Amino acid sequence: MTTSVRPPAEPLIGRFIRLDPFSPDDLPGLRTALVHAEVFAGGYGGGPAGLPRDDVSWAEFAAGQWQPSAVSMPWTIRLVGGPDHDTIVGTSTIGDLDVRHDGAHIGWTGYDPRVWGTAVNPEAKRLLLGLAFDHGFERVRIQADSINARSRGAIEKLGAVFEGVMRHDRRRADGSWRDTAVYSVLRDEWPRVRAGLDARLAAFEGAITLG
């Protein structure tokens, strides 16, 4: 019997960041945060060839990247507190919402390079995984391009379980085939994963700054 329901599209507020349901008004801030070669180098947006080079390519990218729907909930990530309060620093999405089978997917995630290695990613995952499991989901998938060692390392650090590699899962922006490394967290694993994330977040002090 299904136990999940679609979560409400409401802000998720943490100690370091706030996740707001995506709005088109966020696009200028998202462009500033995400349009960097190093962000796309790891596979975001289809990889390096997907990097928007001008206003037209950015508009095309944005139109395909953030589309709220019955099965997709994109979020804009902002800093909380400090001199850079409210600055947009990234995005993530709960997608592939399958309430019939209690499954969801956290992905389409990108961050301003200035917040890599900070509390932003662990707190974003803490908030999004919590949202999914609090609304009855049984399994949350997290995945990355198999060659993206940085993203795979971050997923493994969360405590997600590696399930395997889907070969030739999709095309990258340059037309090459992407193999996708798939991880997941199950509902009965969430207390362990949550405790690990909470311990990591407790080690950070003060607001995140972009200076």
Short mmCIF file of all heavy atoms in Angstrom, two decimals, residues 33-95:
data_model
loop_
_atom_site.label_atom_id
_atom_site.label_comp_id
_atom_site.label_asym_id
_atom_site.label_seq_id
_atom_site.Cartn_x
_atom_site.Cartn_y
_atom_site.Cartn_z
N ALA A 33 25.14 32.29 -10.18
CA ALA A 33 25.67 31.20 -9.36
C ALA A 33 26.19 30.04 -10.20
O ALA A 33 27.22 29.43 -9.84
CB ALA A 33 24.57 30.70 -8.42
N LEU A 34 25.53 29.72 -11.30
CA LEU A 34 25.78 28.44 -11.97
C LEU A 34 26.57 28.51 -13.26
O LEU A 34 27.21 27.50 -13.64
CB LEU A 34 24.43 27.78 -12.28
CG LEU A 34 23.53 27.47 -11.09
CD1 LEU A 34 22.19 26.94 -11.56
CD2 LEU A 34 24.20 26.48 -10.14
N VAL A 35 26.56 29.64 -13.94
CA VAL A 35 27.20 29.66 -15.26
C VAL A 35 28.71 29.88 -15.10
O VAL A 35 29.24 30.98 -15.25
CB VAL A 35 26.56 30.72 -16.18
CG1 VAL A 35 27.23 30.72 -17.54
CG2 VAL A 35 25.07 30.42 -16.35
N HIS A 36 29.36 28.77 -14.77
CA HIS A 36 30.81 28.72 -14.61
C HIS A 36 31.29 27.41 -15.21
O HIS A 36 30.63 26.37 -15.05
CB HIS A 36 31.21 28.77 -13.13
CG HIS A 36 30.68 29.96 -12.39
ND1 HIS A 36 31.26 31.21 -12.47
CD2 HIS A 36 29.60 30.10 -11.56
CE1 HIS A 36 30.58 32.05 -11.73
NE2 HIS A 36 29.56 31.42 -11.17
N ALA A 37 32.41 27.45 -15.88
CA ALA A 37 32.92 26.25 -16.54
C ALA A 37 33.10 25.11 -15.55
O ALA A 37 32.81 23.94 -15.87
CB ALA A 37 34.25 26.57 -17.22
N GLU A 38 33.54 25.41 -14.33
CA GLU A 38 33.79 24.33 -13.37
C GLU A 38 32.50 23.66 -12.90
O GLU A 38 32.51 22.49 -12.49
CB GLU A 38 34.61 24.83 -12.18
CG GLU A 38 34.02 26.00 -11.43
CD GLU A 38 34.55 27.34 -11.89
OE1 GLU A 38 34.55 27.58 -13.11
OE2 GLU A 38 34.93 28.15 -11.03
N VAL A 39 31.37 24.38 -12.93
CA VAL A 39 30.09 23.77 -12.55
C VAL A 39 29.68 22.74 -13.60
O VAL A 39 29.29 21.62 -13.28
CB VAL A 39 29.00 24.85 -12.39
CG1 VAL A 39 27.63 24.21 -12.13
CG2 VAL A 39 29.36 25.79 -11.24
N PHE A 40 29.78 23.10 -14.86
CA PHE A 40 29.37 22.21 -15.94
C PHE A 40 30.40 21.11 -16.21
O PHE A 40 30.06 20.08 -16.79
CB PHE A 40 29.09 23.02 -17.20
CG PHE A 40 27.77 23.75 -17.17
CD1 PHE A 40 27.59 24.87 -16.37
CD2 PHE A 40 26.69 23.30 -17.91
CE1 PHE A 40 26.38 25.54 -16.31
CE2 PHE A 40 25.46 23.96 -17.86
CZ PHE A 40 25.31 25.08 -17.07
N ALA A 41 31.63 21.32 -15.79
CA ALA A 41 32.69 20.34 -16.06
C ALA A 41 32.37 18.98 -15.47
O ALA A 41 32.75 17.94 -16.02
CB ALA A 41 34.03 20.84 -15.52
N GLY A 42 31.69 18.97 -14.32
CA GLY A 42 31.40 17.70 -13.66
C GLY A 42 30.16 16.99 -14.17
O GLY A 42 29.84 15.91 -13.69
N GLY A 43 29.44 17.58 -15.10
CA GLY A 43 28.26 16.91 -15.65
C GLY A 43 26.97 17.69 -15.49
O GLY A 43 25.95 17.32 -16.08
N TYR A 44 26.98 18.77 -14.70
CA TYR A 44 25.76 19.57 -14.58
C TYR A 44 25.36 20.11 -15.94
O TYR A 44 26.20 20.52 -16.75
CB TYR A 44 25.98 20.73 -13.60
CG TYR A 44 24.74 21.57 -13.39
CD1 TYR A 44 23.68 21.11 -12.62
CD2 TYR A 44 24.61 22.82 -13.99
CE1 TYR A 44 22.53 21.86 -12.43
CE2 TYR A 44 23.46 23.59 -13.81
CZ TYR A 44 22.43 23.10 -13.03
OH TYR A 44 21.29 23.86 -12.87
N GLY A 45 24.05 20.11 -16.22
CA GLY A 45 23.56 20.65 -17.47
C GLY A 45 24.00 19.89 -18.70
O GLY A 45 23.99 20.43 -19.81
N GLY A 46 24.38 18.63 -18.51
CA GLY A 46 24.82 17.83 -19.64
C GLY A 46 26.31 17.88 -19.90
O GLY A 46 26.79 17.33 -20.89
N GLY A 47 27.06 18.53 -19.01
CA GLY A 47 28.51 18.57 -19.17
C GLY A 47 29.00 19.84 -19.82
O GLY A 47 28.21 20.76 -20.09
N PRO A 48 30.30 19.95 -20.06
CA PRO A 48 30.92 21.20 -20.53
C PRO A 48 30.25 21.81 -21.76
O PRO A 48 30.12 23.03 -21.85
CB PRO A 48 32.37 20.79 -20.83
CG PRO A 48 32.62 19.64 -19.91
CD PRO A 48 31.33 18.89 -19.82
N ALA A 49 29.81 20.96 -22.68
CA ALA A 49 29.20 21.50 -23.91
C ALA A 49 27.85 22.15 -23.64
O ALA A 49 27.34 22.88 -24.49
CB ALA A 49 29.04 20.39 -24.95
N GLY A 50 27.27 21.90 -22.47
CA GLY A 50 25.99 22.50 -22.14
C GLY A 50 26.09 23.87 -21.51
O GLY A 50 25.05 24.51 -21.26
N LEU A 51 27.30 24.37 -21.26
CA LEU A 51 27.48 25.68 -20.62
C LEU A 51 26.89 26.78 -21.50
O LEU A 51 27.32 26.97 -22.64
CB LEU A 51 28.97 25.93 -20.39
CG LEU A 51 29.34 27.29 -19.79
CD1 LEU A 51 28.87 27.38 -18.34
CD2 LEU A 51 30.85 27.52 -19.87
N PRO A 52 25.92 27.53 -21.00
CA PRO A 52 25.36 28.63 -21.80
C PRO A 52 26.42 29.71 -22.06
O PRO A 52 27.13 30.14 -21.14
CB PRO A 52 24.24 29.18 -20.92
CG PRO A 52 23.89 28.06 -19.99
CD PRO A 52 25.20 27.36 -19.73
N ARG A 53 26.52 30.15 -23.30
CA ARG A 53 27.55 31.12 -23.69
C ARG A 53 27.02 32.53 -23.89
O ARG A 53 27.80 33.48 -23.99
CB ARG A 53 28.22 30.65 -24.99
CG ARG A 53 28.80 29.25 -24.92
CD ARG A 53 30.03 29.20 -24.04
NE ARG A 53 30.60 27.85 -23.97
CZ ARG A 53 31.69 27.53 -23.29
NH1 ARG A 53 32.33 28.47 -22.61
NH2 ARG A 53 32.12 26.29 -23.24
N ASP A 54 25.70 32.67 -23.97
CA ASP A 54 25.12 34.00 -24.21
C ASP A 54 23.69 34.01 -23.70
O ASP A 54 23.20 33.01 -23.15
CB ASP A 54 25.18 34.36 -25.70
CG ASP A 54 24.59 33.27 -26.60
OD1 ASP A 54 23.62 32.59 -26.17
OD2 ASP A 54 25.08 33.10 -27.73
N ASP A 55 23.01 35.13 -23.89
CA ASP A 55 21.65 35.27 -23.39
C ASP A 55 20.70 34.25 -24.01
O ASP A 55 19.81 33.71 -23.33
CB ASP A 55 21.12 36.68 -23.65
CG ASP A 55 21.82 37.75 -22.82
OD1 ASP A 55 22.52 37.38 -21.86
OD2 ASP A 55 21.67 38.94 -23.14
N VAL A 56 20.87 34.00 -25.30
CA VAL A 56 19.97 33.07 -25.99
C VAL A 56 20.14 31.65 -25.45
O VAL A 56 19.16 30.97 -25.13
CB VAL A 56 20.21 33.10 -27.51
CG1 VAL A 56 19.41 32.00 -28.21
CG2 VAL A 56 19.83 34.47 -28.08
N SER A 57 21.39 31.20 -25.33
CA SER A 57 21.62 29.83 -24.85
C SER A 57 21.22 29.70 -23.39
O SER A 57 20.75 28.65 -22.96
CB SER A 57 23.07 29.41 -25.07
OG SER A 57 23.97 30.29 -24.42
N TRP A 58 21.38 30.78 -22.60
CA TRP A 58 20.92 30.72 -21.22
C TRP A 58 19.41 30.60 -21.16
O TRP A 58 18.87 29.80 -20.37
CB TRP A 58 21.37 31.97 -20.44
CG TRP A 58 20.65 32.12 -19.13
CD1 TRP A 58 19.70 33.03 -18.81
CD2 TRP A 58 20.79 31.30 -17.97
NE1 TRP A 58 19.25 32.84 -17.52
CE2 TRP A 58 19.91 31.78 -16.98
CE3 TRP A 58 21.59 30.18 -17.66
CZ2 TRP A 58 19.79 31.20 -15.71
CZ3 TRP A 58 21.48 29.60 -16.39
CH2 TRP A 58 20.60 30.12 -15.44
N ALA A 59 18.69 31.36 -21.96
CA ALA A 59 17.23 31.29 -21.97
C ALA A 59 16.76 29.88 -22.36
O ALA A 59 15.82 29.34 -21.77
CB ALA A 59 16.66 32.33 -22.93
N GLU A 60 17.43 29.28 -23.34
CA GLU A 60 17.07 27.92 -23.75
C GLU A 60 17.34 26.92 -22.64
O GLU A 60 16.54 26.02 -22.37
CB GLU A 60 17.83 27.54 -25.02
CG GLU A 60 17.41 28.34 -26.25
CD GLU A 60 18.30 28.07 -27.45
OE1 GLU A 60 19.36 27.41 -27.27
OE2 GLU A 60 17.96 28.51 -28.56
N PHE A 61 18.48 27.07 -22.00
CA PHE A 61 18.83 26.17 -20.90
C PHE A 61 17.83 26.29 -19.77
O PHE A 61 17.32 25.30 -19.25
CB PHE A 61 20.24 26.50 -20.40
CG PHE A 61 20.64 25.74 -19.17
CD1 PHE A 61 21.08 24.43 -19.26
CD2 PHE A 61 20.57 26.34 -17.92
CE1 PHE A 61 21.44 23.72 -18.12
CE2 PHE A 61 20.93 25.63 -16.77
CZ PHE A 61 21.37 24.32 -16.87
N ALA A 62 17.53 27.52 -19.37
CA ALA A 62 16.63 27.75 -18.25
C ALA A 62 15.24 27.20 -18.52
O ALA A 62 14.58 26.65 -17.63
CB ALA A 62 16.56 29.25 -17.94
N ALA A 63 14.78 27.33 -19.76
CA ALA A 63 13.44 26.86 -20.11
C ALA A 63 13.32 25.35 -19.94
O ALA A 63 12.24 24.84 -19.62
CB ALA A 63 13.11 27.26 -21.55
N GLY A 64 14.43 24.64 -20.14
CA GLY A 64 14.38 23.20 -20.02
C GLY A 64 14.79 22.66 -18.67
O GLY A 64 14.58 21.48 -18.37
N GLN A 65 15.38 23.51 -17.84
CA GLN A 65 15.95 23.05 -16.58
C GLN A 65 14.98 23.11 -15.41
O GLN A 65 15.01 22.24 -14.54
CB GLN A 65 17.19 23.90 -16.25
CG GLN A 65 18.02 23.39 -15.08
CD GLN A 65 18.80 22.12 -15.41
OE1 GLN A 65 18.83 21.67 -16.54
NE2 GLN A 65 19.41 21.54 -14.40
N TRP A 66 14.14 24.12 -15.35
CA TRP A 66 13.26 24.31 -14.19
C TRP A 66 11.81 24.34 -14.65
O TRP A 66 11.32 25.36 -15.12
CB TRP A 66 13.63 25.61 -13.48
CG TRP A 66 15.02 25.55 -12.89
CD1 TRP A 66 15.42 24.85 -11.79
CD2 TRP A 66 16.19 26.21 -13.39
NE1 TRP A 66 16.77 25.03 -11.57
CE2 TRP A 66 17.27 25.86 -12.53
CE3 TRP A 66 16.44 27.05 -14.47
CZ2 TRP A 66 18.57 26.32 -12.74
CZ3 TRP A 66 17.73 27.51 -14.68
CH2 TRP A 66 18.78 27.15 -13.81
N GLN A 67 11.16 23.20 -14.50
CA GLN A 67 9.77 23.07 -14.92
C GLN A 67 8.97 22.40 -13.81
O GLN A 67 8.83 21.18 -13.77
CB GLN A 67 9.68 22.24 -16.22
CG GLN A 67 10.28 22.89 -17.44
CD GLN A 67 9.48 24.10 -17.91
OE1 GLN A 67 8.29 24.21 -17.61
NE2 GLN A 67 10.12 25.01 -18.62
N PRO A 68 8.44 23.18 -12.86
CA PRO A 68 7.62 22.57 -11.82
C PRO A 68 6.44 21.81 -12.43
O PRO A 68 5.84 22.24 -13.42
CB PRO A 68 7.13 23.78 -11.01
CG PRO A 68 8.11 24.87 -11.31
CD PRO A 68 8.54 24.65 -12.73
N SER A 69 6.14 20.64 -11.85
CA SER A 69 5.05 19.82 -12.36
C SER A 69 4.58 18.89 -11.26
O SER A 69 5.08 18.93 -10.13
CB SER A 69 5.53 19.00 -13.57
OG SER A 69 6.42 17.98 -13.16
N ALA A 70 3.65 18.02 -11.61
CA ALA A 70 3.16 17.05 -10.63
C ALA A 70 4.24 16.10 -10.16
O ALA A 70 4.15 15.53 -9.06
CB ALA A 70 2.00 16.26 -11.23
N VAL A 71 5.30 15.93 -10.96
CA VAL A 71 6.35 14.97 -10.61
C VAL A 71 7.70 15.64 -10.41
O VAL A 71 8.72 14.96 -10.23
CB VAL A 71 6.47 13.87 -11.68
CG1 VAL A 71 5.18 13.06 -11.74
CG2 VAL A 71 6.82 14.45 -13.05
N SER A 72 7.76 16.96 -10.41
CA SER A 72 9.04 17.66 -10.29
C SER A 72 8.88 18.93 -9.47
O SER A 72 8.03 19.76 -9.75
CB SER A 72 9.59 18.01 -11.67
OG SER A 72 10.84 18.65 -11.59
N MET A 73 9.75 19.06 -8.44
CA MET A 73 9.71 20.23 -7.57
C MET A 73 11.11 20.85 -7.51
O MET A 73 11.97 20.43 -6.72
CB MET A 73 9.27 19.82 -6.16
CG MET A 73 7.90 19.16 -6.12
SD MET A 73 7.44 18.64 -4.43
CE MET A 73 7.21 20.24 -3.65
N PRO A 74 11.40 21.83 -8.37
CA PRO A 74 12.71 22.49 -8.33
C PRO A 74 12.78 23.55 -7.23
O PRO A 74 11.79 24.24 -6.95
CB PRO A 74 12.82 23.12 -9.72
CG PRO A 74 11.41 23.35 -10.15
CD PRO A 74 10.57 22.29 -9.50
N TRP A 75 13.97 23.68 -6.64
CA TRP A 75 14.19 24.61 -5.54
C TRP A 75 15.36 25.53 -5.84
O TRP A 75 16.34 25.12 -6.47
CB TRP A 75 14.50 23.84 -4.25
CG TRP A 75 13.47 22.83 -3.88
CD1 TRP A 75 13.37 21.55 -4.35
CD2 TRP A 75 12.36 23.00 -3.00
NE1 TRP A 75 12.29 20.92 -3.80
CE2 TRP A 75 11.65 21.79 -2.96
CE3 TRP A 75 11.93 24.08 -2.22
CZ2 TRP A 75 10.51 21.61 -2.19
CZ3 TRP A 75 10.80 23.90 -1.43
CH2 TRP A 75 10.10 22.69 -1.42
N THR A 76 15.25 26.75 -5.38
CA THR A 76 16.35 27.72 -5.44
C THR A 76 16.95 27.82 -4.05
O THR A 76 16.23 27.96 -3.06
CB THR A 76 15.84 29.08 -5.91
OG1 THR A 76 15.30 28.95 -7.22
CG2 THR A 76 16.97 30.11 -5.93
N ILE A 77 18.27 27.76 -3.97
CA ILE A 77 18.96 27.72 -2.68
C ILE A 77 19.59 29.08 -2.40
O ILE A 77 20.35 29.61 -3.22
CB ILE A 77 20.04 26.62 -2.68
CG1 ILE A 77 19.38 25.27 -2.96
CG2 ILE A 77 20.78 26.60 -1.34
CD1 ILE A 77 20.38 24.14 -3.20
N ARG A 78 19.28 29.64 -1.23
CA ARG A 78 19.80 30.94 -0.80
C ARG A 78 20.53 30.80 0.54
O ARG A 78 20.16 29.95 1.36
CB ARG A 78 18.66 31.95 -0.64
CG ARG A 78 18.01 32.38 -1.94
CD ARG A 78 16.81 33.28 -1.67
NE ARG A 78 16.37 33.98 -2.87
CZ ARG A 78 15.54 33.47 -3.76
NH1 ARG A 78 15.04 32.25 -3.58
NH2 ARG A 78 15.17 34.16 -4.83
N LEU A 79 21.49 31.66 0.75
CA LEU A 79 22.18 31.70 2.04
C LEU A 79 21.28 32.33 3.10
O LEU A 79 20.45 33.19 2.80
CB LEU A 79 23.48 32.49 1.93
CG LEU A 79 24.56 31.91 1.03
CD1 LEU A 79 25.79 32.81 1.05
CD2 LEU A 79 24.94 30.49 1.46
N VAL A 80 21.48 31.91 4.33
CA VAL A 80 20.77 32.46 5.48
C VAL A 80 21.80 33.07 6.43
O VAL A 80 22.77 32.42 6.82
CB VAL A 80 19.97 31.36 6.21
CG1 VAL A 80 19.46 31.87 7.54
CG2 VAL A 80 18.81 30.88 5.35
N GLY A 81 21.59 34.33 6.78
CA GLY A 81 22.46 35.00 7.74
C GLY A 81 23.74 35.52 7.11
O GLY A 81 24.08 35.21 5.96
N GLY A 82 24.45 36.35 7.87
CA GLY A 82 25.73 36.87 7.41
C GLY A 82 25.59 37.95 6.36
O GLY A 82 24.48 38.34 5.96
N PRO A 83 26.72 38.44 5.84
CA PRO A 83 26.69 39.56 4.89
C PRO A 83 26.10 39.20 3.54
O PRO A 83 25.71 40.09 2.78
CB PRO A 83 28.18 39.94 4.76
CG PRO A 83 28.92 38.69 5.12
CD PRO A 83 28.10 38.03 6.19
N ASP A 84 26.03 37.92 3.22
CA ASP A 84 25.49 37.50 1.92
C ASP A 84 24.10 36.87 2.05
O ASP A 84 23.68 36.10 1.18
CB ASP A 84 26.46 36.53 1.26
CG ASP A 84 27.81 37.15 0.99
OD1 ASP A 84 27.85 38.17 0.29
OD2 ASP A 84 28.83 36.64 1.51
N HIS A 85 23.40 37.21 3.12
CA HIS A 85 22.05 36.70 3.35
C HIS A 85 21.18 36.90 2.11
O HIS A 85 21.18 37.96 1.49
CB HIS A 85 21.43 37.43 4.54
CG HIS A 85 20.02 37.01 4.84
ND1 HIS A 85 19.71 35.81 5.42
CD2 HIS A 85 18.84 37.66 4.64
CE1 HIS A 85 18.40 35.72 5.57
NE2 HIS A 85 17.84 36.83 5.10
N ASP A 86 20.45 35.88 1.75
CA ASP A 86 19.50 35.87 0.63
C ASP A 86 20.16 35.72 -0.74
O ASP A 86 19.45 35.68 -1.76
CB ASP A 86 18.62 37.12 0.62
CG ASP A 86 17.25 36.85 1.25
OD1 ASP A 86 16.97 35.69 1.59
OD2 ASP A 86 16.48 37.81 1.39
N THR A 87 21.48 35.63 -0.80
CA THR A 87 22.13 35.44 -2.10
C THR A 87 21.87 34.03 -2.62
O THR A 87 22.00 33.05 -1.89
CB THR A 87 23.66 35.65 -1.99
OG1 THR A 87 23.91 36.97 -1.53
CG2 THR A 87 24.34 35.44 -3.33
N ILE A 88 21.49 33.92 -3.88
CA ILE A 88 21.26 32.62 -4.51
C ILE A 88 22.60 31.94 -4.75
O ILE A 88 23.51 32.52 -5.36
CB ILE A 88 20.49 32.79 -5.82
CG1 ILE A 88 19.06 33.25 -5.53
CG2 ILE A 88 20.48 31.48 -6.62
CD1 ILE A 88 18.25 33.60 -6.76
N VAL A 89 22.72 30.69 -4.29
CA VAL A 89 23.98 29.96 -4.43
C VAL A 89 23.80 28.60 -5.09
O VAL A 89 24.77 27.85 -5.23
CB VAL A 89 24.70 29.79 -3.08
CG1 VAL A 89 25.17 31.14 -2.55
CG2 VAL A 89 23.82 29.06 -2.07
N GLY A 90 22.58 28.27 -5.53
CA GLY A 90 22.44 26.98 -6.19
C GLY A 90 21.00 26.57 -6.39
O GLY A 90 20.06 27.34 -6.18
N THR A 91 20.86 25.32 -6.79
CA THR A 91 19.54 24.76 -7.10
C THR A 91 19.58 23.26 -6.91
O THR A 91 20.62 22.62 -7.03
CB THR A 91 19.15 25.09 -8.54
OG1 THR A 91 17.85 24.55 -8.82
CG2 THR A 91 20.13 24.49 -9.54
N SER A 92 18.43 22.69 -6.60
CA SER A 92 18.27 21.24 -6.58
C SER A 92 16.79 20.94 -6.80
O SER A 92 15.95 21.84 -6.68
CB SER A 92 18.74 20.64 -5.24
OG SER A 92 18.88 19.24 -5.33
N THR A 93 16.49 19.70 -7.13
CA THR A 93 15.12 19.32 -7.47
C THR A 93 14.79 17.97 -6.85
O THR A 93 15.62 17.06 -6.83
CB THR A 93 14.95 19.22 -9.00
OG1 THR A 93 15.09 20.53 -9.57
CG2 THR A 93 13.59 18.66 -9.39
N ILE A 94 13.58 17.87 -6.31
CA ILE A 94 13.00 16.55 -6.04
C ILE A 94 12.15 16.22 -7.25
O ILE A 94 11.16 16.90 -7.54
CB ILE A 94 12.13 16.54 -4.77
CG1 ILE A 94 12.98 16.80 -3.52
CG2 ILE A 94 11.43 15.20 -4.63
CD1 ILE A 94 12.19 16.75 -2.23
N GLY A 95 12.58 15.22 -7.99
CA GLY A 95 11.89 14.87 -9.22
C GLY A 95 11.54 13.39 -9.29
O GLY A 95 11.75 12.64 -8.34
#
